[in-house]
């Protein structure tokens, strides 16, 4: 099963990806399923609206999308309630975006959501990169504190935390690297260091073009690792909660 | 003509090829790139290698049949000697611009000696290119601050804010002496920058040469496949770089 590990579904500001556009792009690229997450605005505020949007898109196209939900940790208990509601309706990942949502990645503010993710056995995708609210070593802090939670380091710290990524990843077994924005020419060699079992292909469409990114990654990932990096690793994490 | 406005002659290249740019240039050939603004790397990570690497860049350019357009650097920590090294790069070595990496080189854009260098660049009519997109010394708004203080100097944001600060780069580009190099933002951000910034002050670059990794193929294809008007693409790749350099 070939899976795109991160797409953003919705129309807002620079985002303009709809299910109607994504599905044929997936077919053309030979991608079976795609993780879909809400746009930035709905990560920051009005989480329920964003979660419902991706949940409804997934429900409307069975077997194609994997809904990723979010709750801004600043909502506290209400945020945890919203996360659990989205899980009950089919969400399979938790998305955190410290820069957009307004905290440092390793702030204790996120602990209740991570505890809920641990209970639900769902992976946590965290956007990383400059300016500094979400760095690789902050993800390591979280991974150490929650060893039973799988953390996906979105964008692999791209770009200017690139120095830190390998050591920070190797410091905890439950950290996985997502490829989007990290560019294939830099991402693929990193797998030699951290292990191919940690690599997860994501396009981050529509910020990056879906078809373009899949053409590039197909050229860059060795054939014997392709199914693992481009679906198998993420599937293994997702199915801890149950079959897809 | 296609000009890559962000390349390096990195340490690894010296170690493997000495001062022979043939292999480096062959990589450009593979993608149809005709010219490149080439920066050092040794000269931005080690103060003690600064002059030697500047000299090396000049010699490489001599061997590059006019295709390599060298940009030197200096270290504000050297005080007046840093200012004089910047002058030497332009007046003695014939360099067409100056490149700084405040994060790697460890100085603030508020450093008075750096200010003197920026003023000198304005007098000598050469652009100053700066790494940008990274706190705490290399943010687009800090570059815009320089542009306000030195209105006669042309500043190039070498990464247009990288991946997460491109909106700040767009704000910085309101200053008429700020140029944006599309070398870092994702495809959608590049499209937004092309739609909203002054089309006459946009450049493209790959960051090739920092190591042996080849980023040109990915970055040039991403640029070519982006939703940017074809005429603007041509302007960015071939016309604007010449305008940047023509003042001198």
């Amino acid at each position: 099963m070939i899976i795109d590990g991160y797409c953003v579904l919705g129309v807002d500001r620079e985002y303009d990806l709809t299910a109607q556009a994504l599905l044929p792009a997936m077919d053309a690229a030979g991608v079976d399923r795609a993780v879909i997450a809400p746009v930035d605005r709905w990560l920051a505020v009005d989480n329920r609206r964003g979660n419902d949007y991706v949940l409804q898109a997934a429900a409307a196209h069975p077997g194609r999308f994997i809904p990723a939900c979010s709750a801004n940790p600043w909502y506290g208990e209400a945020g945890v309630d919203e996360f659990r509601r989205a899980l009950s309706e089919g969400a399979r990942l938790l998305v955190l975006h410290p820069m957009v949502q307004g905290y440092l990645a390793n702030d204790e503010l996120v602990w209740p959501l991570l505890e809920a993710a641990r209970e639900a056995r769902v992976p946590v995708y965290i956007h990383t990169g400059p300016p500094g609210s979400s760095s690789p070593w902050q993800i390591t802090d979280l991974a150490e504190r929650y060893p039973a939670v799988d953390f996906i380091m979105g964008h692999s710290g791209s770009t200017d935390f690139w120095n830190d990524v390998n050591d920070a990843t190797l410091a905890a077994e439950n950290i996985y690297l997502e490829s989007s924005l990290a560019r294939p020419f830099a991402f693929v060699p990193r797998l030699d260091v951290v292990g191919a079992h940690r690599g997860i292909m994501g396009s981050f469409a529509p910020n990056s073009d879906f078809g373009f990114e899949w053409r590039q990654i197909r050229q860059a990932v060795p054939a014997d690792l392709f199914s693992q990096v481009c679906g198998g690793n993420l599937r293994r994490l997702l199915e801890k909660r149950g079959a897809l | 003509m296609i000009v890559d406005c962000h390349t390096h002659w990195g340490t690894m290249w010296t170690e493997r090829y000495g001062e022979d740019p043939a292999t480096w240039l062959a990589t450009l050939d593979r993608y149809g790139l005709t010219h490149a603004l080439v920066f050092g790397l040794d000269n931005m990570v080690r103060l003690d290698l600064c002059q030697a690497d500047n000299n090396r860049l000049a010699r490489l350019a001599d061997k590059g049949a006019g295709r390599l357009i060298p940009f030197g650097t200096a270290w504000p920590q050297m005080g007046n000697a840093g200012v004089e090294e910047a002058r030497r790069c332009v007046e003695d070595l014939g360099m067409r611009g100056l490149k700084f990496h405040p994060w790697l080189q460890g100085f603030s854009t508020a450093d008075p000696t750096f200010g003197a260098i920026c003023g000198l660049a304005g007098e000598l009519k050469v652009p100053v290119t700066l790494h940008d997109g990274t706190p705490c010394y290399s943010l687009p708004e800090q570059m815009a601050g320089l542009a306000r203080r030195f209105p006669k100097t042309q500043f190039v944001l070498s990464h247009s804010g990288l991946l997460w600060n491109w909106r700040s780069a767009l704000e910085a580009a309101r200053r008429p002496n700020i140029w944006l190099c599309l070398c870092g933002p994702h495809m959608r951000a590049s499209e937004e920058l092309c739609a909203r910034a002054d089309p006459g002050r946009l450049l493209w670059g790959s960051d090739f040469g920092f190591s042996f990794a080849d980023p040109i193929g990915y970055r040039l294809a991403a640029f070519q496949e982006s939703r940017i008007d074809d005429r603007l693409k041509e302007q960015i790749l071939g016309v604007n770089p010449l305008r940047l350099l023509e003042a001198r």
Side-chain angles (χ1 to χ4, degrees):
Chain A
M1 181 186 294
I2 303 302
I3 304 173
D4 189 309
Y6 202 83
C7 299
V8 179
L9 203 71
V11 179
D12 187 46
R13 300 226 283 184
E14 67 269 25
Y15 294 103
D16 62 353
L17 186 61
T18 63
Q20 289 69 33
L22 180 54
L23 286 165
M26 291 167 61
D27 292 340
V31 176
D32 300 303
R33 305 188 69 162
V35 171
I36 52 171
V39 297
D40 289 355
R41 185 186 308 275
W42 291 339
L43 296 179
V45 296
D46 206 357
N47 301 142
R48 180 167 186 145
R49 190 171 172 194
N51 293 339
D52 282 346
Y53 185 84
V54 297
L55 288 165
Q56 287 164 13
H61 304 281
R64 302 307 308 273
F65 296 143
I66 301 165
C69 70
S70 190
N72 191 324
W74 283 107
Y75 285 126
E77 268 187 50
V80 175
D81 290 345
E82 171 55 21
F83 174 42
R84 290 193 170 122
R85 182 196 70 85
L87 287 170
S88 72
E89 297 191 17
R92 299 300 295 261
L93 297 89
L94 171 66
V95 176
L96 296 175
H97 200 326
M99 186 183 82
V100 165
Q101 294 176 319
Y103 51 89
L104 298 180
N106 57 355
D107 190 314
E108 60 191 345
L109 198 64
V110 305
W111 295 351
L113 283 167
L114 298 182
E115 183 58 29
R118 185 192 64 76
E119 290 170 3
R121 299 173 65 80
V122 296
V124 179
Y125 180 104
I126 307 183
H127 291 264
T128 61
S133 50
S134 190
S135 70
W137 284 107
Q138 290 170 340
I139 306 307
T140 307
D141 283 344
L142 298 176
E144 280 185 347
R145 187 173 285 277
Y146 290 92
V149 175
D150 294 316
F151 291 90
I152 301 171
M153 188 190 296
H155 323 302
S156 302
S158 291
T159 38
D160 275 0
F161 287 120
W162 59 271
N163 285 296
D164 297 339
V165 174
N166 290 349
D167 289 340
T169 302
L170 290 169
E173 293 181 354
N174 51 331
I175 297 178
Y176 299 82
L177 299 181
E178 190 259 355
S179 68
S180 68
L181 306 185
R183 278 80 188 228
F185 59 81
F187 177 76
V188 173
R190 206 179 277 295
L191 300 181
D192 290 338
V193 179
V194 303
H197 67 289
R198 296 190 195 242
I200 293 174
M201 159 60 185
S203 68
F204 201 26
N207 279 332
S208 300
D209 181 78
F210 187 92
F212 176 79
E213 292 300 326
W214 276 94
R215 287 195 298 278
Q216 293 289 326
I217 204 76
R218 281 184 187 279
Q219 293 172 18
V221 175
D224 59 323
L225 300 180
F226 185 81
S227 64
Q228 185 181 5
V229 173
C230 297
N233 289 336
L234 180 56
R235 184 179 185 181
R236 188 174 72 247
L237 306 186
L238 293 168
E239 291 197 329
K240 289 182 179 179
R241 181 170 171 79
L244 283 175
Chain B
M1 170 180 281
I2 298 180
V3 184
D4 187 333
C5 288
H6 190 145
T7 71
H8 294 269
W9 181 268
T11 310
M12 292 180 182
W13 288 85
T14 301
E15 290 171 350
R16 183 175 296 181
Y17 297 105
E19 295 185 6
D20 181 358
T23 304
W24 196 98
L25 286 167
T27 310
L28 266 61
D29 292 338
R30 196 179 310 148
Y31 301 102
L33 305 185
T34 56
H35 298 78
L37 309 190
V38 60
F39 317 139
L41 182 57
D42 282 354
N43 59 3
M44 291 189 294
V45 295
R46 282 182 52 177
L47 185 152
D48 61 321
L49 298 179
C50 178
Q51 283 197 349
D53 205 34
N54 286 337
N55 294 340
R56 179 186 294 123
L57 288 171
R59 291 194 295 269
L60 283 163
D62 288 342
K63 296 174 182 175
R67 300 178 65 192
L68 297 176
I69 302 165
F71 276 42
T73 196
W75 289 61
Q77 295 92 326
M78 295 165 66
N80 192 54
V83 180
E84 289 311 308
E85 177 62 10
R87 184 187 299 277
R88 187 182 77 90
C89 284
V90 177
E91 294 189 335
D92 297 346
L93 299 180
M95 292 179 160
R96 302 302 299 272
L98 299 169
K99 158 75 176 183
F100 296 92
H101 201 310
W103 164 47
L104 276 184
Q105 292 178 272
F107 65 86
S108 164
T109 54
D111 184 296
T113 303
F114 185 59
I117 293 171
C118 290
L120 174 67
E123 292 172 19
L124 298 177
K125 300 185 187 307
V126 294
V128 173
T129 70
L130 295 144
H131 173 90
D132 75 295
T134 316
C136 61
Y137 290 153
S138 297
L139 293 169
E141 44 271 41
Q142 292 169 322
M143 311 315 170
L146 290 170
R148 290 182 176 91
R149 290 168 54 205
F150 302 98
K152 294 180 179 175
T153 305
Q154 302 298 311
F155 294 93
V156 180
L157 274 59
S158 296
H159 294 293
S160 298
L162 281 172
L163 292 162
W164 303 102
N165 292 64
W166 63 269
R167 290 183 196 280
S168 299
L170 185 60
E171 277 298 282
R174 289 188 301 125
R175 311 303 308 174
N177 52 335
I178 290 270
W179 297 59
L180 300 180
C181 185
L182 302 175
C183 178
H186 50 67
M187 188 184 284
R188 182 52 48 86
S190 293
E191 292 166 352
E192 289 281 323
L193 291 166
C194 287
R196 298 166 65 180
D198 180 351
R201 288 184 280 120
L202 294 168
L203 308 164
W204 172 84
S206 71
D207 221 347
F208 168 63
F210 199 87
S211 67
F212 288 136
D214 175 8
I216 300 175
Y218 176 92
R219 288 195 160 126
L220 186 61
F223 179 73
Q224 296 286 23
E225 293 192 28
S226 61
R227 295 176 294 186
I228 299 168
D229 180 81
D230 284 344
R231 282 188 300 180
L232 179 55
K233 285 178 186 168
E234 290 178 16
Q235 181 180 349
I236 290 169
L237 293 174
V239 177
N240 289 348
L242 298 182
R243 283 191 50 247
L244 174 71
L245 300 173
E246 71 185 2
R248 191 170 171 80

